[in-house]
Amino acid sequence: MRAIQITEFGGPEVLNEVDLPDPVAGPGELLVDVSRAGLNYADTHQAENSYLSKMELPLVPGGEVVGTAGGRRVVGLTNFGGYAEKAVVPEATAFDVPEGVDDLTALSMVVQGATAWLLLRKSAHLEAGESVVVHAAAGGVGSLAVQLAKKWGAGRVIATASTEDKRQLALDLGADVAVDSTAENMTDVLREANGGRRVDIVLDMTGGAVTDQSIAALAPFGRLAFYGMASREQPTPVEPGRLLVHSTAIAGMWLPHAFRLPGGVVHRAMGELFDLVLAGELRAVPGGEYGLSEVRRAHEDLRARRTTGKLVLDPSR
């Protein structure tokens, strides 16, 4: 089968197209004929071995696929192996795709959609009327989080994005206001965007100064849900005593941990997300399709923050 393999860690240059034997599914696993694989910012960390779970070489990267397995159409998560014509997916992280949901939308829901759901429901515990800041609002998670926050009763959704086109997309998706993510002082920008008031919730995957300044913008009992570090810059360590100043909270969220929760939380999230899609109340934003031969360009685009919405990989070309 055609696949992308890396034999040394690094940037886009380490992604090489190769021919490999088909993988073999074991007990409790599905062998999926991949129609599309998801491209995520986390994949760039996987390629350089800076992700939360450490990788071993040689490695076929990619953590999400959609396709067919034994007559079923499924979308699923795999630790690695997604950038290929065939992939093995654990049954526990596979979801049947309802009729009427296309490949891109299915892939958008399984990582980005579930992440947005969990951030708002479990990490930030959104309550009706609260203000919600969505950083990188034109991205895969951000574009869905804007829509979900608005649907679930947020009083004011404040989007941040780096270009006018991205800010307009966030507004089109339901954000009440969109501000420049490259602003020098994000604390002042967020408070101004919220009518001079501190904000209740921030969804942050940036890191560095943006995280520091977002924490400083939180209202009493405000919450920052942290789920990535696209800037590759660590925020300033927060002493617990600083949280008392405004009774604020900081939560981290990594999707794999959600599968350990009792009650099938991720399956419940996926069911709700697919229902919203089928009802026309939630839409995925297409961000571009790449062939296997274009995977280096895809990673370059991701790292340069040139993308919006959901990116997918077509293993057939």
Side-chain angles (χ1 to χ4, degrees), residues 7 40 48-49 57-58 74 89 94 119 126 157 179 195 204 209 215 238 243 258 260-261 280 289 295 304:
T7 55
N40 296 300
E48 65 184 15
N49 203 27
L57 298 174
V74 298
V89 175
L119 288 168
L126 170 64
V157 176
V179 300
D204 179 35
I215 292 170
V238 178
L243 302 178
R260 304 177 190 175
L261 295 174
E289 183 171 289
V295 71

Side-chain angles (χ1 to χ4, degrees), residues 299-313:
H299 274 231
E300 289 167 358
D301 290 344
L302 279 165
R303 292 174 69 107
R305 309 292 291 276
R306 290 191 288 262
T307 64
T308 59
K310 181 61 183 175
L311 308 185
V312 298
L313 191 69

Side-chain angles (χ1 to χ4, degrees), residues 13-301:
E13 73 282 352
V14 305
L15 300 164
N16 296 301
E17 186 177 343
V18 297
D19 188 64
L20 295 176
D22 291 354
V24 177
E29 295 179 328
L30 301 174
L31 179 62
V32 178
D33 290 313
V34 179
S35 56
R36 296 292 187 276
L39 287 158
N40 296 300
Y41 196 87
D43 299 349
T44 69
H45 287 288
Q46 195 177 59
E48 65 184 15
N49 203 27
S50 60
Y51 199 45
L52 287 172
S53 57
K54 297 304 179 184
M55 301 290 107
E56 295 183 2
L57 298 174
L59 171 71
V60 175
E64 59 181 27
V65 297
V66 62
T68 56
R72 296 168 57 191
R73 183 162 168 258
V74 298
V75 63
L77 300 176
T78 180
N79 291 330
F80 51 85
Y83 291 7
E85 292 181 310
K86 296 179 183 293
V88 170
V89 175
E91 278 270 18
T93 59
F95 308 88
D96 289 301
V97 180
E99 186 176 349
V101 175
D102 61 31
D103 283 354
L104 180 138
T105 301
L107 284 170
S108 294
M109 296 305 132
V110 76
V111 169
Q112 282 94 351
T115 295
W117 191 99
L118 287 158
L119 288 168
L120 290 167
R121 291 286 203 213
K122 298 289 289 184
S123 299
H125 299 284
L126 170 64
E127 295 183 11
E130 291 188 312
S131 55
V132 178
V133 174
V134 181
H135 286 308
V141 174
S143 60
L144 295 167
V146 165
Q147 297 175 74
L148 291 174
K150 200 66 183 174
K151 174 163 183 60
W152 292 339
R156 191 166 180 81
V157 176
I158 301 164
T160 80
S162 59
T163 69
E164 185 61 38
D165 286 347
K166 289 182 178 182
R167 292 191 287 273
Q168 185 58 54
L169 172 61
L171 293 171
D172 293 343
L173 293 171
D176 295 289
V177 61
V179 300
D180 189 349
S181 62
T182 65
E184 186 173 344
N185 190 323
M186 188 58 64
T187 302
D188 290 344
V189 167
L190 294 181
R191 291 182 66 175
E192 182 181 352
N194 199 36
R197 300 179 300 278
R198 291 174 172 272
V199 299
D200 297 307
I201 292 171
V202 177
L203 308 185
D204 179 35
M205 48 73 70
T206 306
V210 170
T211 303
D212 296 339
Q213 293 168 11
S214 296
I215 292 170
L218 288 173
F221 292 96
R223 292 87 74 199
L224 182 140
F226 188 70
Y227 66 102
M229 198 156 52
S231 69
R232 289 173 162 78
E233 296 177 0
Q234 288 282 352
T236 302
V238 178
E239 296 293 334
R242 281 182 56 200
L243 302 178
L244 299 176
V245 176
H246 291 289
S247 296
T248 48
I250 301 171
M253 205 289 287
W254 188 38
L255 182 60
H257 291 149
F259 286 93
R260 304 177 190 175
L261 295 174
V265 170
V266 180
H267 283 76
R268 178 160 61 91
M270 289 295 291
E272 287 189 21
L273 292 167
F274 281 146
D275 285 346
L276 290 171
V277 167
L278 293 171
E281 298 178 1
L282 182 67
R283 68 180 178 94
V285 176
E289 183 171 289
Y290 301 78
L292 277 183
S293 59
E294 302 169 302
V295 71
R296 289 186 180 181
R297 179 167 65 86
H299 274 231
E300 289 167 358
D301 290 344

